[in-house]
Amino acid sequence: MTIYFINWVADYELKMIQYLKKKYKIKNITTPKKYNWINKKISKIGMDNAWLGRLFIKHYLNDIKKDDIIIINDSVVNKGINKQILKNINCHKVLLLRNTVGEDFILDNANYFDIIYDFEHRFIGNEKIKAIEQFFPIGMDEIRNYSLSDKNNSQPICFFLGRDKGRLQIINELAERLTTLGCKLDFNVVKDKTSSTTSKYLIEKQISYEENIRRTLNANIIVDITKENQSGWTLRILEAL
């Protein structure tokens, strides 16, 4: 049995896949840009794109067997030709919900998958959805490679890393309060489509996961801003522990 991760591209996701390759037969497949470019063009004119999914399968997933597993996460399932891949391939199909999603998202996507794993422990009535505990993307042997800081900081360091997601105003207000309490801030807000105001904490690109771990270990306080009604543990909580 082979496990295929389709379009997992974030740095921490690649770290996780690299770790899993030590224990399982894993393939990480990314859709070439030309497929996504063609898909955009034909979608604009209302042309069916099912053939594009079949062409991708022929060239990149031709050796897949029905007992193999495809895993896709919620961030990419509605992008590019991912749904056309899912429609036209015969194997076990898994969706991992890494973010908080609504019932409409589940209704739109449930039929494409055999099972959906959710960190939020919601949607209990849906037989396809199974609750799963948050997990660290790398193993204990790997985490020992990072040295724990003594944290002999002259000021307590507060670390935040995440996309804006419309939270910049809250982050700016929190930063001001923490500064008045004598904290040193290491705030890194990655720009996205919600970013409209200027802030000294905005950064253009996500930092690497190794750098994220290094700064986490050096900080005294880890800041995590969750969405309303979010109930499951986030990855940031595990990093703090």
Side-chain angles (χ1 to χ4, degrees), residues 60-220:
Y60 295 93
L61 298 170
N62 193 41
D63 58 347
I64 201 165
K65 300 176 179 61
K66 67 178 183 178
D67 291 331
D68 291 337
I69 300 172
I70 277 181
I71 305 178
I72 286 183
N73 66 62
D74 59 282
S75 297
V76 301
V77 66
N78 289 315
K79 295 180 179 178
I81 60 170
N82 288 316
K83 283 190 172 178
Q84 295 304 331
I85 295 170
L86 293 166
K87 280 181 181 179
N88 290 284
I89 201 160
N90 181 26
C91 66
H92 299 295
K93 288 164 272 194
V94 175
L95 174 64
L96 179 62
L97 301 178
R98 297 210 66 102
N99 300 289
T100 302
V101 301
E103 291 186 14
D104 288 345
F105 181 93
I106 298 298
L107 291 173
D108 290 342
N109 294 287
N111 289 336
Y112 292 94
F113 297 94
D114 300 299
I115 190 168
I116 301 172
Y117 289 110
D118 177 29
F119 295 127
E120 292 294 306
H121 298 257
R122 300 187 300 159
F123 313 110
I124 302 301
N126 191 312
E127 62 182 15
K128 282 191 176 181
I129 299 180
K130 307 295 181 184
I132 185 175
E133 299 299 332
Q134 181 65 258
F135 55 85
F136 206 63
I138 55 177
M140 292 304 298
D141 290 339
E142 282 71 18
I143 200 63
R144 292 189 184 100
N145 294 328
Y146 299 91
S147 58
L148 183 63
S149 171
D150 292 332
K151 293 188 175 64
N152 294 322
N153 302 316
S154 58
Q155 297 174 270
I157 296 177
C158 300
F159 176 61
F160 173 82
L161 173 65
R163 294 194 177 277
D164 185 342
K165 296 182 180 180
R167 302 177 293 181
L168 190 55
Q169 182 178 347
I170 295 173
I171 293 168
N172 284 333
E173 292 172 358
L174 178 61
E176 186 176 344
R177 293 186 184 184
L178 289 172
T179 301
T180 61
L181 293 173
C183 295
K184 182 179 179 181
L185 305 184
D186 184 7
F187 277 19
N188 308 269
V189 184
V190 184
K191 283 185 178 180
D192 60 22
K193 61 184 179 181
T194 70
S195 302
S196 56
T197 59
T198 58
S199 170
K200 62 181 179 181
Y201 305 114
L202 280 174
I203 59 175
E204 295 290 337
K205 295 181 180 178
Q206 182 74 272
I207 67 175
S208 71
Y209 193 65
E210 286 192 1
E211 179 66 10
N212 168 38
I213 294 297
R214 187 190 70 78
R215 295 194 191 185
T216 297
L217 292 173
N218 186 54
N220 303 91

